Amino acid sequence: MKLAITGKVTALEKAPFVLRGPYEEIIPAAASIGYDAIELHIDDSAHLDRPLIRRLLADSGIGLSFIGTGTAYSQDRLFLSSEDEAIRRKAIRRIEDHIDTAKEHGAVVIVGLVKGQIKDCSSREACVRNLGESLTELVKKAEADDAPLVFEVINRYESDFLTSIDEALDFLTPFNSRHLLLHIDTFHMNIEEASIPASIRRAHGMIGHCHVADSDRWHAGHGHYDFAETIQALRDIGYTRALSVESYQFPDPLTSAAESFKTLKALL
């Protein structure tokens, strides 16, 4: 397993993105700490300077591992389960543009809050139906471009459905695609899973991404989360992608990034 760190140009103080600032600063910063890759949370890939990103990654000697998409929902109110066809089409287009960015780097595109919530729709049935139809369309592009999508399992306080690994597995299995996998997160699992290692092992062959934060969502090593147990479970199922740190940037971004790196590197 490799190590990655989240980065975003601008974010709210308590948003769980560690490195903040221009790409020209955060990509070299990730590399200087020792990370193998960076996970970029991009507002809209259609407006991204892709040649700049390509050059910065090459100059820094690190990869682009994952692309975060949450601001489509939190800022622009675009979501894949919308009953408004215009909103749903814009959400699909936003993810398609991220796939276009991901495919040249072997990166994975996260489907988290952009899925929408039941409270955004007239019923659970409408929400699940529209989400399924949107993902069916996106999976075709993901397969054609070999840029997988990963569906994030988000805890009950931040999402009102598909909050556990088992629920997400039941939802994703019928798609029968190696380009639509689970995205797990230590912070969310610490809330929702009765046994984190057992849940991970039940998802054998279906995990495509793992976010890392400690129990208090600070850097790894700050709280009481058992990272060794999770890493062993991931090894047992043959997980080979990166562990990506998505935590608060406290006490400051560089210290947070360095402390997580030190803790996780020692375990790996």
Side-chain angles (χ1 to χ4, degrees):
M1 277 174 270
K2 296 182 177 181
L3 293 178
I5 186 80
T6 48
K8 195 174 187 303
V9 175
T10 59
L12 297 173
E13 182 185 14
K14 285 196 173 182
F17 310 123
V18 185
L19 299 178
R20 319 287 186 92
Y23 296 126
E24 294 91 336
E25 295 178 6
I26 63 175
I27 291 175
S32 69
I33 293 168
Y35 284 96
D36 304 293
I38 190 166
E39 172 183 320
L40 292 179
H41 286 251
I42 302 167
D43 292 340
D44 189 344
S45 272
H47 301 134
L48 182 68
D49 187 342
R50 291 181 178 132
L52 171 66
I53 299 299
R54 190 182 309 124
R55 177 176 61 79
L56 291 171
L57 292 169
D59 290 349
S60 299
I62 64 172
L64 174 60
S65 54
F66 309 101
I67 294 176
T69 64
T71 55
Y73 180 81
S74 61
Q75 293 181 10
D76 301 329
R77 299 305 295 172
L78 302 178
F79 53 100
L80 298 172
S81 55
S82 177
E83 292 171 272
D84 183 323
E85 182 66 14
I87 291 175
R88 197 163 72 87
R89 296 312 313 173
K90 288 179 181 178
I92 290 171
R93 183 66 228 173
R94 184 70 61 87
I95 300 300
E96 288 176 337
D97 288 337
H98 288 313
I99 290 173
D100 287 337
T101 299
K103 65 184 181 183
E104 107 175 70
H105 299 283
V108 170
V109 178
I110 299 168
V111 177
L113 289 174
V114 72
K115 75 181 190 303
Q117 301 196 60
I118 293 172
K119 67 182 182 182
D120 299 317
C121 302
S122 62
S123 67
R124 181 185 183 90
E125 291 73 23
C127 181
V128 173
R129 181 183 64 251
N130 291 334
L131 176 58
E133 291 176 359
S134 297
L135 287 174
T136 296
E137 184 173 339
L138 286 168
V139 164
K140 292 178 182 177
K141 180 171 176 60
E143 291 175 341
D145 291 345
D146 194 22
L149 303 170
V150 288
F151 188 90
E152 186 170 17
V153 185
I154 302 172
N155 76 75
R156 72 190 73 181
Y157 303 109
E158 298 177 56
S159 177
D160 59 8
F161 76 127
L162 302 176
T163 58
S164 71
I165 287 176
D166 285 344
E167 289 176 352
L169 277 174
D170 287 343
F171 175 71
L172 294 184
T173 299
F175 290 91
N176 192 32
S177 175
R178 298 300 306 157
H179 286 76
L180 180 60
L181 300 172
L182 278 177
H183 165 14
I184 63 174
D185 183 308
T186 62
F187 178 75
H188 300 309
M189 289 190 294
N190 193 53
I191 296 171
E192 296 293 344
E193 306 300 331
S195 169
I196 292 170
S199 294
I200 290 172
R201 292 186 178 100
R202 283 198 300 276
H204 183 280
M206 283 293 292
I207 296 179
H209 184 19
C210 181
H211 267 160
V212 171
D214 217 317
S215 54
D216 53 5
R217 218 168 197 176
W218 278 55
H219 57 76
H222 188 267
H224 58 72
Y225 190 88
D226 190 340
F227 291 102
E229 182 181 66
T230 292
I231 288 170
Q232 185 57 56
L234 288 169
R235 282 179 166 146
D236 290 346
I237 65 168
Y239 178 77
T240 58
R241 292 190 181 273
L243 301 177
S244 189
V245 179
E246 189 196 51
S247 68
Y248 293 147
Q249 81 278 23
F250 307 140
D252 63 79
L254 292 179
T255 299
S256 178
E259 287 299 314
S260 281
F261 181 83
K262 181 173 68 176
T263 296
L264 297 170
K265 190 67 173 178
L267 292 170
L268 290 174

